[in-house]
Amino acid sequence: YPMLSLGNTYSFEEVTDFYHRVQKALGSEPFELCCEIKYDGVSISLSYEEGRLVRAVTRGDGKRGDDVTNNVRTIGSVPMKLRGEGYPAHFEIRGEIFMPYASFDRLNREREAAGEAPMANPRNAAAGTLKQQSSQVVARRGLDCTLYHIASDTLPFATHIENLEAARTWGFKVSEHMKVCRTREEIET
């Protein structure tokens, strides 16, 4: 499955424009939108077979990214083996790997104490960390991962939010801040 870039909006007017484009494309057919927080990290696709993590790949150009499986295996919020049942035999789950501010601040204190320049921001620190040759270094840096999309030919549920809620039961970290909206006004609130 290609890993496409997410579109950004920076104002409610842009969200309204998007809503109206969807509405126009669907005509009179009712629709729902799942509103979620956008995490600013490194896009990741995790591949699972029979409930076990087999591959972790960055987005790269959308079709081919870097295999960072060994480094991702050190991130505590990424399950190596899924719990529960009902997950597809083969699927990909997409999300963001990021460096929490506490980890970022600790890393910069360590860098400054060693006479090194501090990292510019948590997103770049996360990206640089994932490219490390040593998984031990990655493990010490305190990365985290939040997932937001499942790709499979055999999804267990018909809606995006139901699949994400199922993923949470399988052991994935999924945002607590999701809301299904049926009108433009609901999006704003």
Side-chain angles (χ1 to χ4, degrees), residues 138-159:
V138 178
R140 287 194 307 269
R141 296 249 176 119
L143 295 178
D144 201 349
C145 182
T146 297
L147 291 308
Y148 58 76
H149 176 71
I150 302 174
S152 174
D153 291 335
T154 57
L155 290 173
F157 296 99
T159 68

Side-chain angles (χ1 to χ4, degrees), residues 50-52 79 81-88 91 165-172:
E50 305 301 333
R52 295 189 182 278
K81 182 179 183 315
L82 301 183
R83 62 181 186 236
E85 55 188 39
Y87 45 81
F91 71 97
E165 292 297 343
R168 185 188 320 278
T169 69
W170 305 332
F172 293 108

Side-chain angles (χ1 to χ4, degrees), residues 109-154:
R109 283 192 302 274
E110 291 169 0
R111 290 179 64 83
E112 288 172 343
E116 299 173 343
M119 299 293 255
N121 58 61
R123 193 226 172 269
N124 289 354
T129 297
L130 271 183
K131 293 181 180 182
Q132 289 286 319
Q133 297 297 315
S134 169
S135 293
Q136 292 174 337
V137 170
V138 178
R140 287 194 307 269
R141 296 249 176 119
L143 295 178
D144 201 349
C145 182
T146 297
L147 291 308
Y148 58 76
H149 176 71
I150 302 174
S152 174
D153 291 335
T154 57

Side-chain angles (χ1 to χ4, degrees), residues 9 29 35 42 50 55 69 73 99 109 132 147 152 159 173:
T9 58
E29 186 176 332
C35 298
V42 178
E50 305 301 333
R55 189 170 31 271
T69 307
R73 288 183 189 281
M99 183 173 284
R109 283 192 302 274
Q132 289 286 319
L147 291 308
S152 174
T159 68
K173 184 176 179 182

